[in-house]
């Protein structure tokens, strides 16, 4: 049996090895005259220290520790120290999940989610829904951008990793996943989602017949993949054939995607000048994506309204920002998410890898919107429930009343939906009529697939239609400010405020 004294001698020897490593590295670094190599030498020094510490833990920790566990822990810790939610170590499970998404199908619930690294008692690091995917269990259950998943399968999401959350949400098709959603400050309710085969959609489009003479094009860009470019062109061609007088591009809840894809799509609308630029401390990562007249396929002079909300992130912000900076589109809805950085994935081996932020992107007027977002030219928000309305909404969600009614009555027409909503209104007086109809309609469409648009409920879409049919679009869009002008105005206001203090 090893006594305390012998343990102390062995530990002292190990610490001495670590100290010698530090000393040797420092002496070596000091002997170099080129300051440019200082960073590399320092990295080597710390690498040796980490290696020595791994050996130290393996040899002296009370329990046997697997080297792979220490390796993964060290890499996760390194990326967490960057305090960047988009840079992270990807173990085999996370890499598989990423590959599933890239390949286009997987078993899951259809939610784009994010999670902060820092968790405190005041602000627990619950999982936040960035956006639901079209026609998925999460979307049909009415989960919204900004909702917090506070537990999954009775596990507090603030106490587990993102990988563990994904592992719970994804899995065999047909099995249930039980989560608890927090919406706003006080609304919490359980949701049961049945996993489905999630096929990543990209574009949906059609026309809106306003009246006998007026037809508008409607295009929802769901995600930016290589396939999005082709399908966006199909939508534009169909709008030309239909002779639309204006187009609505719906980027709400679009979490982003490939920068090359969004640049190609923006090039269809912008005939000249920069679309987006990336800036990095590494020279070869600095790029400027520039529009060319030969790639412009959109109908010149056709009014465009872009719909945005807090679920519009990354590449969707690149497109809306570029169209805004060139005064080609009018933005309606809600301020976007604010993700102005570019990531790339590097495999470390056949099983694991890393995703890391390599650059920030800038709009045509040279503005980075990271953590700021893009404000709409006209803010239109959905009705907010009163405190009593929130309680009634919770009671309705927990009761399964709607699903039981719809299951019993089968296929329901719009008049049937309106009639049942009126019946619900007698009990749930503080929930607005349109929201009640929307809840019923969502349940009716659960097995049919999502409607292309919902003119009864969608106040933002209705505002876009009104702008394109009732207002002087040309005059309206010329008065809008570029993102640079908005940024300069904000800085000036901030300067004046600080001068008053």
């Amino acid at each position: 049996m090893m006594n305390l004294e012998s343990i102390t001698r062995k530990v002292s020897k190990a610490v001495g090895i670590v100290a010698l490593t530090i000393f040797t590295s420092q002496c070596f670094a000091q002997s170099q005259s080129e300051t440019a190599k200082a960073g590399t030498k320092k990295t080597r020094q710390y690498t040796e220290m980490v290696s020595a510490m791994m050996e130290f833990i393996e040899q002296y920790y009370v329990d046997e520790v697997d080297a792979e566990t220490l390796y993964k822990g060290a890499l996760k810790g390194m990326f967490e120290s960057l305090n960047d939610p988009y840079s992270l170590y990807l173990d085999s499970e996370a890499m598989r999940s990423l590959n599933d998404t890239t390949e286009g199908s997987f078993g899951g619930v259809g939610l784009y989610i994010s999670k902060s690294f820092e968790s405190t008692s005041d602000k627990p690091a619950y999982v936040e829904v960035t956006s639901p995917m079209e026609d998925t269990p999460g979307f049909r259950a009415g989960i919204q951008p900004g909702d917090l998943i506070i537990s999954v399968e009775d596990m507090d999401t603030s106490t587990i990793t993102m990988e563990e959350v994904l592992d719970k949400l994804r899995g065999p098709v047909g099995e249930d996943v039980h989560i608890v959603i927090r919406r706003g400050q006080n609304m919490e309710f359980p949701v049961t989602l049945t996993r489905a085969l999630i096929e990543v959609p990209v574009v949906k489009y059609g026309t809106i017949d306003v009246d006998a003479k007026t037809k508008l094009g409607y295009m929802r860009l769901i995600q930016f993949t290589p396939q999005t470019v082709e399908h966006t062109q199909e939508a534009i061609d169909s709008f030309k054939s239909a002779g639309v007088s204006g187009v609505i591009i719906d980027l709400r809840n679009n979490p982003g995607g490939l920068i090359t894809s969004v640049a190609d799509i923006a090039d269809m609308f912008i005939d000249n000048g920069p679309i987006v630029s990336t800036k990095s401390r590494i020279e070869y990562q600095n790029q400027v994506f520039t529009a060319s007249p030969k790639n412009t396929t959109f109908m010149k002079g056709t009014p465009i309204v872009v719909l945005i909300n807090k679920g519009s992130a990354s590449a969707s912000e690149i497109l809306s920002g570029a169209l805004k900076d060139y005064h080609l589109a009018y933005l309606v809805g809600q301020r976007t998410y604010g993700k102005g950085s570019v990531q790339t994935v590097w495999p470390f081996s056949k099983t694991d890898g890393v995703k890391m932020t390599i650059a920030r992107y800038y709009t045509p007027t040279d503005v980075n919107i990271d953590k700021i977002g893009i404000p709409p030219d006209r803010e239109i928000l959905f009705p907010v429930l009163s405190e009593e309305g929130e309680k009634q909404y919770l009671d309705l969600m927990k009761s399964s009343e709607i699903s039981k009614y719809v299951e019993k009555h089968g296929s329901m027409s719009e008049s049937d939906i309106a009639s049942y909503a009126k019946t619900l209104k007698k009990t749930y007086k503080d929930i607005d009529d349109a929201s009640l109809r929307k809840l019923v309609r969502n349940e009716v469409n659960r097995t049919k697939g999502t409607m292309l648009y919902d003119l009864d409920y969608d106040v933002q879409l209705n505002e876009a239609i009104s702008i394109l049919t009732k207002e002087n679009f040309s005059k309206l869009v010329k008065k809008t400010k570029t993102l640079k002008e908005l940024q300069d105005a904000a800085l000036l206001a901030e300067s004046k405020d600080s001068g008053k203090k």
Side-chain angles (χ1 to χ4, degrees):
M1 182 179 291
M2 188 179 293
N3 60 28
L4 182 60
E5 184 179 356
S6 61
I7 293 174
T8 303
R9 283 198 300 269
K10 287 182 176 291
V11 170
S12 298
K13 182 180 178 182
V15 171
I17 294 171
V18 176
L20 180 62
T21 304
I22 296 170
F23 178 73
T24 305
S25 297
Q26 285 177 335
C27 290
F28 183 74
Q30 289 169 358
S31 68
Q32 304 302 309
S33 59
E34 297 180 29
T35 55
K37 294 182 179 179
T40 303
K41 303 304 179 187
K42 199 169 185 180
T43 300
R44 187 177 300 155
Q45 168 188 325
Y46 286 118
T47 302
E48 291 170 354
M49 290 171 65
V50 170
S51 178
M53 187 54 68
M54 285 181 67
E55 292 179 10
F56 180 69
I57 293 170
E58 281 185 299
Q59 190 168 358
Y60 295 108
Y61 184 64
V62 63
D63 297 319
E64 187 173 339
V65 182
D66 181 49
E68 183 182 3
T69 300
L70 295 177
Y71 158 76
K72 289 181 177 180
L75 285 181
K76 286 179 181 178
M78 273 191 267
F79 279 94
E80 286 176 9
S81 72
L82 298 175
N83 197 28
D84 174 7
Y86 310 113
S87 295
L88 64 157
Y89 166 69
L90 303 170
D91 60 15
S92 57
E93 180 64 28
M95 282 292 282
R96 181 186 65 80
S97 174
L98 185 67
N99 290 333
D100 285 345
T101 306
T102 305
E103 289 168 8
S105 63
F106 54 92
V109 298
L111 297 174
Y112 291 107
I113 57 176
S114 64
K115 190 179 191 297
S116 173
F117 285 123
E118 295 184 6
S119 185
T120 64
S121 56
D122 294 334
K123 193 175 181 180
Y126 294 125
V127 168
E128 182 177 354
V129 176
T130 305
S131 66
M133 294 172 61
E134 292 281 321
D135 292 330
T136 63
F139 184 89
R140 295 190 189 111
I143 295 175
Q144 301 174 7
D147 282 351
L148 297 179
I149 303 175
I150 63 173
S151 75
V152 54
E153 295 298 331
D154 296 323
M155 293 187 69
D156 183 339
T157 63
S158 70
T159 63
I160 58 178
T161 66
M162 180 70 135
E163 287 74 23
E164 289 172 311
V165 174
L166 288 170
D167 190 47
K168 295 288 183 184
L169 294 176
R170 293 190 172 191
V173 172
E175 291 187 359
D176 288 344
V177 181
H178 305 282
I179 64 175
V180 174
I181 291 291
R182 177 180 293 171
R183 181 170 298 161
Q185 295 297 318
N186 305 310
M187 295 175 62
E188 290 185 9
F189 50 91
V191 178
T192 298
L193 303 171
T194 303
R195 292 195 195 100
L197 181 65
I198 307 299
E199 297 184 354
V200 182
V202 288
V203 181
K204 291 186 176 182
Y205 62 91
T207 57
I208 301 173
D209 296 327
V210 181
D211 54 42
K213 295 181 179 179
T214 310
K215 187 175 290 187
L216 301 175
Y218 174 82
M219 172 170 58
R220 183 187 301 149
L221 302 184
I222 300 162
Q223 187 177 1
F224 290 96
T225 72
Q227 290 74 37
T228 312
V229 180
E230 176 187 351
H231 293 308
T232 300
Q233 187 56 59
E234 288 175 2
I236 291 173
D237 292 340
S238 76
F239 297 155
K240 286 179 182 177
S241 300
V244 300
S245 57
V247 169
I248 298 165
I249 302 175
D250 194 343
L251 295 176
R252 292 174 298 180
N253 304 330
N254 181 322
L258 300 176
I259 192 170
T260 49
S261 174
V262 70
D264 287 344
I265 289 169
D267 203 359
M268 299 174 185
F269 298 87
I270 302 166
D271 58 13
N272 193 30
I275 294 169
V276 63
S277 60
T278 61
K279 298 181 184 181
S280 169
R281 64 188 182 91
I282 304 167
E283 189 175 348
Y284 72 84
Q285 299 287 3
N286 297 330
Q287 299 182 70
V288 179
F289 295 84
T290 306
S292 170
K294 67 180 181 180
N295 297 325
T296 307
T297 57
F298 189 73
M299 305 78 76
K300 190 175 179 64
T302 302
I304 304 169
V305 171
V306 175
L307 297 178
I308 54 174
N309 68 0
K310 62 183 177 182
S312 307
S314 193
S316 58
E317 292 174 294
I318 289 176
L319 180 58
S320 53
L323 295 176
K324 177 175 175 58
D325 275 352
Y326 283 108
H327 296 283
L328 293 174
Y330 193 79
L331 275 51
V332 170
Q334 185 182 21
R335 184 181 288 269
T336 62
Y337 184 82
K339 182 180 180 292
S341 56
V342 181
Q343 286 73 40
T344 192
V345 175
W346 282 288
F348 261 19
S349 68
K350 291 181 179 179
T351 58
D352 67 348
V354 298
K355 183 175 77 167
M356 191 164 66
T357 299
I358 57 168
R360 292 183 175 88
Y361 72 74
Y362 291 76
T363 71
T365 55
D366 202 35
V367 171
N368 177 257
I369 53 85
D370 199 46
K371 299 181 177 69
I372 300 170
I374 297 173
D377 297 311
R378 185 175 297 177
E379 185 178 57
I380 302 292
L381 303 177
F382 285 90
V384 177
L385 293 174
S386 64
E387 188 175 340
E388 184 58 35
E390 286 188 357
K391 291 178 182 177
Q392 292 178 9
Y393 186 93
L394 280 173
D395 292 340
L396 181 56
M397 293 292 288
K398 291 175 180 178
S399 71
S400 301
E401 186 175 342
I402 295 175
S403 59
K404 290 175 183 176
Y405 184 92
V406 171
E407 185 178 359
K408 183 178 179 181
H409 290 80
S411 181
M412 294 172 65
S413 65
E414 275 298 315
S415 61
D416 294 332
I417 290 171
S419 177
Y420 178 48
K422 285 181 180 179
T423 302
L424 290 171
K425 185 73 174 179
K426 295 174 183 177
T427 306
Y428 305 98
K429 296 180 176 66
D430 291 286
I431 304 177
D432 63 279
D433 296 353
S435 292
L436 286 171
R437 290 194 297 271
K438 177 69 172 175
L439 288 171
V440 179
R441 193 177 295 113
N442 284 347
E443 189 62 36
V444 171
N445 291 331
R446 189 182 291 274
T447 56
K448 295 180 181 178
T450 310
M451 299 165 61
L452 181 59
Y453 48 79
D454 185 348
L455 294 179
D456 175 52
Y457 174 77
D458 197 338
V459 292
Q460 294 170 341
L461 177 58
N462 277 298
E463 187 67 21
I465 293 170
S466 178
I467 289 169
L468 290 172
T469 57
K470 298 178 181 178
E471 300 187 39
N472 187 326
F473 180 84
S474 180
K475 187 179 291 186
L476 195 66
V477 79
K478 282 179 182 177
K479 288 182 179 179
T480 61
K481 292 182 178 180
T482 65
L483 290 172
K484 176 65 173 172
E485 289 169 337
L486 289 173
Q487 183 186 68
D488 290 345
L491 290 173
L492 181 61
E494 186 180 327
S495 175
K496 286 180 180 179
D497 287 342
S498 61
K500 292 176 182 177
K501 294 178 181 178

